[in-house]
Amino acid sequence: MTMYAEVIGDPIAHSKSPLIHGFWIDALGLDATYARRHVLAADLAGYFAERQADPDWRGCNITVPHKLAALDHVGDPGDVRASIGAINTVLRQGDGLIGTNTDAAGFYTPIADRDLAGKPVVVIGAGGAARAVLFALARAGVGPVTLLNRNVLKGAALLSAFGLKGKALPLGSAIPAAALLVNTSTLGMVGQPDLDVDLTPLPDDALVYDVVYAPIETPLLAQADARGLETVDGLEMLVGQAAIAFELFFGVAPPRDRDEELRALLLA
């Protein structure tokens, strides 16, 4: 039988994961499929129970808003709950299902060659993606982190949870000078309000990173480009985390030597 994997979320129509995984499946000639699946929060338990009973199902990626809630329905042998606190991938292990997180590695790979140790960073948002980003930044030893979020207490709690020095401010606050600014929120995504942030305080060598990938050039990245700042778009993290998940699902590494061809497909 054809093996398959999925991406689940609410909403889900914007997800480019099927294009990415489908490209790799075709390139490798696998007898497999990968599709979107609209799953409501109230249906998570039923979804995982149904999929666990299907031997052809190899796993799923998880997008908003289920990255935290999904932890309640699968095993957590790597103790992701205590480290990152959110999962974005579920796969089979023996007779059960386990969760893991490929977002942290997917986020960090495009900036791994930058020396961020001890340097100030601005992070916007405090959801599941923020947890993966803060986990990676803590491992990189970044300097003070200024976290902007609607709920300031939640932002402060996240900084504390990851052992990061800094402060939490309300969304819309003026940002300080920083070596890196990361938007982990959905602001700027299709159907969501734009992210209102003035990048003027950033130095000319700062990097602006937006995890939103629909659209590829968000208003935040357009503003950064206008300033001549270096940018990383959401496709970088999306493809990076997908590559790790793909190998977990199908037991073979994707052909990353064809990334430029894949990116052209995603931008078409």
Side-chain angles (χ1 to χ4, degrees):
M1 297 291 289
T2 300
M3 55 186 169
Y4 72 102
E6 302 170 302
V7 57
I8 66 170
D10 176 31
I12 197 61
H14 68 283
S15 176
K16 293 184 180 291
S17 292
L19 271 175
I20 297 170
H21 288 265
F23 175 83
W24 289 333
I25 286 169
D26 290 344
L28 295 173
L30 300 182
D31 183 15
T33 64
Y34 185 104
R36 297 179 186 89
R37 174 83 173 189
H38 187 203
V39 177
L40 302 176
D43 299 331
L44 270 180
Y47 169 81
F48 286 121
E50 180 183 291
R51 289 301 188 264
Q52 184 173 341
D54 185 348
D56 298 321
W57 183 82
R58 297 304 175 94
C60 69
N61 291 117
I62 302 168
T63 186
V64 291
H66 303 321
K67 292 186 178 186
L68 278 69
L71 265 169
D72 295 332
H73 305 289
V74 300
D76 183 23
D79 205 12
V80 180
R81 185 185 292 275
S83 57
I84 297 177
I87 57 175
N88 77 324
T89 303
V90 170
L91 60 143
R92 292 187 176 282
Q93 185 175 79
D95 295 330
L97 304 180
I98 64 168
T100 188
N101 194 307
T102 66
D103 275 338
F107 159 75
Y108 190 67
T109 299
I111 60 172
D113 61 345
R114 296 180 77 96
D115 180 15
L116 294 170
K119 295 183 178 177
V121 174
V122 174
V123 174
I124 299 167
R131 288 176 172 273
V133 167
L134 292 170
F135 176 83
L137 292 176
R139 291 292 183 91
V142 299
V145 175
T146 302
L147 192 149
L148 276 60
N149 193 53
R150 290 189 183 92
N151 185 327
V152 177
L153 290 178
K154 182 179 180 181
L158 271 189
L159 291 180
S160 176
F162 290 101
L164 289 162
K165 295 180 179 179
K167 59 185 176 181
L169 299 174
L171 196 62
S173 299
I175 64 169
L180 170 68
L181 180 144
V182 187
N183 174 39
T184 73
S185 76
T186 58
L187 293 172
M189 189 170 79
V190 173
Q192 299 292 326
D194 287 346
L195 175 59
D196 183 19
V197 58
D198 180 7
L199 300 182
T200 303
L202 295 183
D204 291 341
D205 60 350
L207 173 68
V208 176
Y209 193 144
D210 199 336
V211 306
V212 171
Y213 59 84
I216 299 302
E217 185 177 55
T218 61
L220 174 66
L221 294 185
Q223 184 188 167
D225 284 337
R227 270 276 322 270
L229 300 176
E230 187 179 351
T231 62
V232 177
D233 62 45
L235 280 189
E236 296 275 0
M237 178 174 172
L238 182 68
V239 172
Q241 63 81 25
I244 302 167
F246 184 90
E247 189 164 359
L248 292 173
F249 295 150
F250 302 117
V252 60
R256 295 301 302 275
D257 59 324
R258 296 180 62 177
D259 274 8
E260 287 189 19
E261 188 180 346
L262 173 59
R263 187 176 177 88
L265 175 67
L266 292 167
L267 290 172

